[in-house]
Amino acid sequence: MPLADGAAPPAPQTTGVTRRAGERPGRGSRGRVVAVLALLTALLLVFPGVVPDRPGNLGSLLEVFLPWLGLAVVPLLAGALVRRSVTALLSLLLPCAAWAYAFGGLFLAAPEAGPRDLVVVQHNVSDVNRDPAGTARALAEAGPDLIALEELVPAALPAYEKVLAPGFRFHEVRGTVGIWSKHLLSDTRAVDIKPGGIAEGWSRGLRTVVHTPQGEVAAYVAHLPSVRVGASGFASSWRDESAHLLGRAVAAETVAKVLVLGDLNSTVDDRGLSPLTSQLNVSERGFAFSFPASFPLARIDQILARSATVGRMRTLPATGSDHLPVTARITLP
């Protein structure tokens, strides 16, 4: 439309949105994305059970590596700094606090050792261990009262028996698991923890009674089936079935004090082990990541107890196995 002579041009239309010079469009919304992810991380650290196990046992897989979820703070921090978002930076306090709540206690000092403590070593020695004698010597040097071993193959068994005999007068082996003790053992039997889909001859569980100065302790040594992570998810059905069978045996145990020692092929946070771990005390001190020995990511070798307290868990130096040995003091009432 032509303007009349001397008329001023119309003012430009505005959208009502103003932006400060140099402000990046969308920065606030991106800061909120980081904040939402931080909140989600915190919730998963405290309540991992909200993740369903179907499909692919994803909840169980998350629980195996749960402490490592705290590393999500690193990329979230980078995102908050790039966006220069105060909201995003403050939100990172949530996963940090959640991680400290879930795992901070593992760093606390353990109670002082007492005269009634029982020192226990647990180790999957590996069926391809090229130095069983050296492995046995390393375990004995830790000064335990009990040593529980898995993947004992017939060719290596004489080496363990020879090296451990001077310090451990009593030992029992059933299938591929065994226990060496400074105290008398009795009433030893194999424990059937074989899942239905595994062929006959598979024997990875034993039960015995340890006659300690503090009284009788029923000790179980177990090696649960391996798990696999593949395209279909976290394959743990055999392991879970075996944990159920072992849990049923422990529930039926008539001796009040119980130890469960073994390679359980998962962590105590994994819901797949709950039929067993729900009955037992776990260590509340120490991470003791035991597998793989070359770069430990999780503690799948466990020392658990009923009517007794498990002290700080720690790993021992590497042997010829792909697992690290773990040790703990058991305080007996």
Side-chain angles (χ1 to χ4, degrees), residues 167-190:
F168 302 86
R169 294 177 54 201
F170 311 98
H171 84 279
E172 295 283 353
V173 175
R174 296 293 185 276
T176 58
V177 300
I179 186 169
W180 274 255
S181 173
K182 292 183 176 180
H183 309 296
L184 176 67
L185 302 176
S186 69
D187 300 325
T188 305
R189 64 174 184 266

Side-chain angles (χ1 to χ4, degrees), residues 14-283:
T14 64
T15 61
V17 178
T18 59
R19 206 176 270 125
R20 289 175 294 180
E23 183 181 25
R24 290 186 178 183
R27 187 202 308 167
S29 63
R30 293 190 182 108
R32 286 194 293 272
V33 169
V34 172
V36 169
L37 291 175
L39 175 60
L40 178 61
T41 301
L43 290 174
L44 290 178
L45 281 166
V46 179
F47 304 108
V50 301
V51 179
D53 242 3
R54 295 290 182 270
N57 293 328
L58 295 180
S60 190
L61 179 61
L62 169 67
E63 290 160 344
V64 171
F65 299 105
L66 193 60
W68 297 100
L69 184 59
L71 292 178
V73 170
V74 176
L76 292 177
L77 175 60
L81 293 175
V82 168
R83 302 305 173 195
R84 301 179 186 176
S85 170
V86 174
T87 300
L89 284 171
L90 291 176
S91 71
L92 297 183
L93 295 175
L94 293 174
C96 291
W99 195 94
Y101 171 79
F103 303 108
L106 298 175
F107 290 103
L108 299 178
E112 293 293 327
R116 299 174 65 86
D117 287 355
L118 197 68
V119 180
V120 177
V121 166
Q122 147 61 29
H123 192 29
N124 178 327
V125 295
S126 175
D127 55 1
V128 294
N129 191 327
R130 296 183 178 181
D131 185 18
T135 297
R137 283 192 294 270
L139 301 179
E141 288 171 0
D145 299 286
L146 296 175
I147 298 176
L149 303 181
E150 299 82 49
E151 294 199 11
L152 287 169
V153 294
L157 182 58
Y160 291 105
E161 291 175 329
K162 179 179 179 180
V163 172
L164 295 176
F168 302 86
R169 294 177 54 201
F170 311 98
H171 84 279
E172 295 283 353
V173 175
R174 296 293 185 276
T176 58
V177 300
I179 186 169
W180 274 255
S181 173
K182 292 183 176 180
H183 309 296
L184 176 67
L185 302 176
S186 69
D187 300 325
T188 305
R189 64 174 184 266
V191 177
D192 184 9
I193 58 172
K194 182 182 75 65
I198 295 181
E200 294 298 325
W202 190 95
S203 179
R204 292 187 178 184
L206 73 76
R207 176 262 191 197
T208 192
V209 174
V210 186
H211 296 264
T212 76
Q214 291 77 40
E216 293 183 348
V217 178
Y220 288 76
V221 183
H223 183 190
L224 303 191
S226 300
V227 297
R228 295 289 184 269
V229 180
S232 60
F234 188 51
S236 62
S237 59
W238 280 354
R239 193 277 318 274
D240 295 349
E241 183 180 349
S242 191
H244 175 78
L245 293 171
L246 181 57
R248 189 166 65 183
V250 170
E253 177 58 59
T254 57
V255 176
K257 302 171 190 174
V258 175
L259 292 178
V260 175
L261 319 167
D263 174 3
L264 304 187
N265 265 304
S266 198
T267 69
V268 294
D269 297 308
D270 185 349
R271 71 191 70 177
L273 298 185
S274 61
L276 176 65
T277 54
S278 61
Q279 307 179 55
L280 302 168
N281 299 323
V282 304
S283 173

